[in-house]
Amino acid sequence: MTDARYIVGIDLGTTNTVVAYIDTESDNPTPTVFEITQITDIGVVEKLTMLPSFLYVPTETEKPETSFALPWGSPSDAVAGVYARKRGAQLPQRLISSAKSWLCHASVDRTSPILPWNSPEDVQKLSPLHASSRYLSHIKTAWDANFGKTSQLSTQDIYLTVPASFDAASRELTVKAAEIAGLKNVTLIEEPLSAFYFWLNAHSESWRKTLKLGDIVLVCDIGGGTTDFTLIEVRDEVGELSLHRIAVGEHILLGGDNMDLMLAYILKKKFSDSGVSLDGYQMLGLIHGAREAKESMINDAAVESYKIAVLGRGRSVVGGTIETEVSREDIEKAILDGFFPFTKIDEMPAEKRSIGFKELGLNYATDSAVTKHLAKFLSHHSTGGTGFIRPTKILFNGGVTRASALRDRLTDVITGWLDSSDGAALTTLVGTDPELAVSQGAACYGYTKRGSGIRVRGGAGRSYYIGIEAAMPAVPGMELPVKALCVCPIGMEEGTDVSVPGQEFGLVVGEQVKFRFFSSTVRKDDAVGDLLDEWLSDEIEELAPIEAELPVEENVGALIPVTLHAYLTEVGTLSIFCESTDGKNRWKLEFNARDEG
């Protein structure tokens, strides 16, 4: 944090990127949404409140220097924003989308050029890391062109949002993407928390009347790529109401992208019933068309139907396209019944993997019922044997929740759970735009960091563990058991540096080795230094391992006794350090993947 004039919140979303700022020199320092200059059509440049998070890779016949000219120049190899989304629906094999979802996909090398996924060899590709940095670079250039040399974005305080469910590696990569884009003073903040900060800012004079002691606020954030749940509790602290973030959900790759896929498969059946078979590229185009139809109907209740055109692949296709129509009934059946069904509080998500949702390579949730994932979240965070924690207030966020039908359905489901357990009524917190609140809330959070406004206490939203191989004789045919050493408990505050007390461990140095890491969003009683021999399968998840060769001048391959300590940085990332007991060497384990060479 610096004393820069502008505090900038950037919501780097799966579907849209939004920027807001607070001018600290203003007489009324409130968040303002920054309008982002972008190409909306060939030769057309406009300023809009959102930059669609899409990159289009032009063909050789398209001339970026004339077709895609921006006030500050022309993009070299990819176009971002509205035109990218529009043109990409026609040529989906040249469209990069969902880069944010790929950025947290531990099963792929997120720094390798793999996007557009499954595109032809002649299409230039980018890594999820560098695709994410392109959106930030576009934002930086647009900001600099608007504010001039004296207020360059790289010199402002930037608060970049991430899903609450992002693990340490995904957070580290997000910071790396910002660095590649030339952004320096970056701090991470979780998206649901940002949305709540904006609600607080919008109700700065009345929030204490709306929230009362003991209230549990559920922030339900459903965006293009992820579903995030967060719980905030109202407590008494020396006679004053205080706010505490008490729980965050697991990473659920379930959102608007999944809804687009389901709707596309419904439309594919319509084509099939009329004797038209779609190939892979046409299916990609249908998915993008389904997204446009969904967004049109969600944003405008007056739209009852939407026509979708898909490029034809045969001579028999008149005009080179085939068309179908999606109705509001199709939308409601696909989304309401498919993703927000009425369920009971004890109905948990199915574990069986859905083959259909693996076509695009992303690790989508195996159960599409958001209501079941919510039931699991509330049940896992119950206290005192009450079965599930009972929210009293709900704040909706994310573009998907713009649809009143979806908000009403979720409210009805939760109310049913509460009524069945004699719980308190559920009240919806209103007054924010679900697509703009996160960026504005991030700016508000930055403003509170300078000593103004209400802070929500919380710290780390999940605990982290290092895998420690057990010291025991090898047994043929059996791997040595691994214990989990807690190095960062839930709630550890940013800026905290802790040493693992009273323990030494053997560290293999000088050769390539694999380090295993784990995390949990539910084990709230673990402390630094706790060594777990066993745990329930749904309590702890294993993260992507880190493969590294820790340099040493002598004793290559030796087992060096070390002590461990962890540092939860002010930026919001986690660093693990290993220090030899003789004090001669110190190594840092990085939570990021290797960079592109």
Side-chain angles (χ1 to χ4, degrees):
M1 186 177 68
T2 69
D3 58 354
R5 174 175 177 174
Y6 295 101
I7 300 172
V8 184
I10 301 178
D11 176 12
L12 182 61
T14 306
T15 306
N16 292 292
T17 296
V18 186
V19 180
Y21 64 91
I22 291 177
D23 183 352
T24 61
E25 297 181 7
S26 169
D27 293 334
N28 183 26
T30 56
T32 301
V33 175
F34 173 62
E35 293 191 334
I36 305 166
T37 302
Q38 58 194 283
I39 297 165
T40 58
D41 211 332
I42 296 295
V44 180
V45 176
E46 296 181 74
K47 289 184 176 182
L48 302 173
T49 56
M50 293 186 287
L51 176 77
S53 302
F54 296 87
L55 283 172
Y56 171 68
V57 182
T59 66
E60 292 185 1
T61 59
E62 293 173 306
K63 298 185 181 298
E65 65 274 9
T66 55
S67 302
F68 310 129
L70 286 159
W72 52 81
S74 302
S76 57
D77 53 1
V79 184
V82 168
Y83 181 74
R85 182 179 62 187
K86 185 187 302 183
R87 180 61 170 156
Q90 300 169 335
L91 295 175
Q93 71 273 24
R94 307 188 75 86
L95 181 68
I96 295 175
S97 60
S98 302
K100 181 178 179 179
S101 296
W102 288 99
L103 196 66
C104 64
H105 191 357
S107 298
V108 300
D109 182 356
R110 292 161 280 185
T111 65
S112 291
I114 58 174
L115 301 179
W117 185 253
N118 283 338
S119 62
E121 291 296 324
D122 62 339
V123 176
Q124 180 180 340
K125 297 179 177 62
L126 292 173
S127 69
L129 171 65
H130 284 72
S132 299
S133 74
R134 290 299 180 91
Y135 304 129
L136 295 173
S137 180
H138 184 107
I139 295 299
K140 178 180 180 298
T141 311
W143 174 283
D144 292 349
N146 184 81
F147 285 90
K149 293 183 179 180
T150 59
S151 298
Q152 300 285 284
L153 186 59
S154 60
T155 63
Q156 310 308 315
D157 286 344
I158 299 169
Y159 291 83
L160 184 58
T161 68
V162 294
S165 52
F166 257 25
D167 62 22
S170 303
R171 291 169 189 253
E172 195 77 44
L173 286 167
T174 303
V175 173
K176 180 66 174 177
E179 291 175 352
I180 293 172
L183 303 181
K184 301 174 182 178
N185 307 314
V186 174
T187 299
L188 300 183
I189 177 174
E190 296 165 1
E191 290 161 7
L193 202 55
S194 291
F196 186 72
Y197 266 109
F198 183 59
W199 181 86
L200 276 179
N201 179 80
H203 300 80
S204 58
E205 301 299 326
S206 61
W207 75 268
R208 290 179 177 84
K209 297 178 182 178
T210 304
L211 301 180
K212 63 181 184 300
L213 183 64
D215 268 338
I216 302 290
V217 180
L218 168 65
V219 184
C220 185
D221 187 351
I222 308 174
T226 58
T227 291
D228 254 349
F229 302 123
T230 291
L231 291 173
I232 298 169
E233 183 179 18
V234 182
R235 296 178 180 175
D236 184 311
E237 194 168 276
V238 197
E240 292 286 336
L241 293 182
S242 62
L243 301 166
H244 296 254
R245 197 272 316 277
I246 60 173
V248 300
E250 300 173 348
H251 183 72
I252 308 172
L253 198 60
L254 178 61
D257 287 352
N258 305 69
M259 298 170 193
D260 300 340
L261 280 169
M262 175 175 276
L263 185 57
Y265 278 109
I266 291 174
L267 298 176
K268 181 183 179 182
K269 187 176 185 305
K270 282 189 175 184
F271 278 121
S272 179
D273 291 344
S274 62
V276 177
S277 179
L278 303 182
D279 62 21
Y281 288 154
Q282 287 175 312
M283 190 60 192
L284 285 174
L286 186 60
I287 291 169
H288 291 294
R291 185 200 67 248
E292 292 176 347
K294 177 202 69 182
E295 291 180 355
S296 175
M297 292 188 188
I298 282 179
N299 294 331
D300 188 351
V303 178
E304 291 297 327
S305 63
Y306 192 95
K307 287 187 177 181
I308 297 175
V310 180
L311 290 178
R313 304 285 284 187
R315 293 182 179 179
S316 62
V317 180
V318 178
T321 62
I322 51 178
E323 286 189 349
T324 189
E325 188 172 77
V326 58
S327 66
R328 183 164 292 278
E329 182 182 357
D330 292 328
I331 292 283
E332 293 185 351
K333 181 178 180 181
I335 298 180
L336 274 181
D337 297 338
F339 291 87
F340 302 93
F342 282 101
T343 58
K344 297 179 180 179
I345 187 61
D346 58 358
E347 289 186 61
M348 299 292 108
E351 297 297 329
K352 183 179 179 182
R353 183 158 298 282
S354 170
I355 296 175
F357 280 129
K358 294 181 66 177
E359 284 192 349
L360 295 183
L362 288 170
N363 189 25
Y364 289 111
T366 57
D367 194 317
S368 63
V370 172
T371 46
K372 291 183 181 180
H373 290 284
L374 178 56
K376 179 181 178 181
F377 171 68
L378 296 177
S379 298
H380 274 190
H381 293 284
S382 62
T383 56
T386 56
F388 70 100
I389 195 166
R390 292 159 174 78
T392 56
K393 302 289 192 296
I394 185 168
L395 177 64
F396 290 105
N397 190 63
V400 171
T401 67
R402 290 187 69 91
S404 59
L406 303 187
R407 298 195 304 272
D408 292 345
R409 171 62 65 87
L410 264 176
T411 301
D412 289 344
V413 170
I414 299 171
T415 299
W417 296 341
L418 297 174
D419 288 346
S420 64
S421 60
D422 297 323
L426 182 70
T427 303
T428 300
L429 302 180
V430 297
T432 63
D433 186 315
E435 288 188 303
L436 305 179
V438 166
S439 62
Q440 295 176 88
C444 293
Y445 169 72
Y447 195 59
T448 66
K449 294 269 284 185
R450 296 198 184 185
S452 301
I454 303 298
R455 289 287 300 274
V456 180
R457 300 187 179 181
R462 58 171 66 206
S463 50
Y464 289 95
Y465 309 80
I466 291 180
I468 305 293
E469 190 174 81
M472 60 178 289
V475 177
M478 186 184 79
E479 291 185 1
L480 289 175
V482 173
K483 301 180 181 182
L485 175 72
C486 182
V487 293
C488 174
I490 290 175
M492 191 165 95
E493 294 290 341
E494 290 86 354
T496 301
D497 191 339
V498 295
S499 298
V500 176
Q503 299 186 64
E504 294 181 4
F505 301 94
L507 179 68
V508 178
V509 296
E511 62 182 43
Q512 193 79 6
V513 290
K514 180 184 293 186
F515 297 91
R516 294 174 67 179
F517 291 90
F518 306 84
S519 76
S520 173
T521 58
V522 298
R523 292 186 62 97
K524 299 179 182 179
D525 296 327
D526 292 339
V528 174
D530 285 354
L531 192 60
L532 311 182
D533 293 308
E534 55 185 28
W535 52 85
L536 299 177
S537 59
D538 60 351
E539 285 185 326
I540 291 182
E541 65 172 329
E542 184 162 6
L543 305 176
I546 295 176
E547 294 189 10
E549 181 178 316
L550 303 182
V552 66
E553 294 182 359
E554 54 186 20
N555 298 324
V556 173
L559 199 63
I560 304 295
V562 296
T563 57
L564 302 176
H565 72 268
Y567 177 45
L568 188 60
T569 69
E570 293 285 358
V571 170
T573 58
L574 180 66
S575 299
I576 306 295
F577 296 92
C578 312
E579 187 166 345
S580 61
T581 54
D582 61 11
K584 294 182 178 180
N585 291 286
R586 190 169 185 262
W587 300 274
K588 178 183 177 183
L589 298 181
E590 300 280 1
F591 270 100
N592 56 350
R594 62 185 181 276
D595 197 0
E596 286 185 48

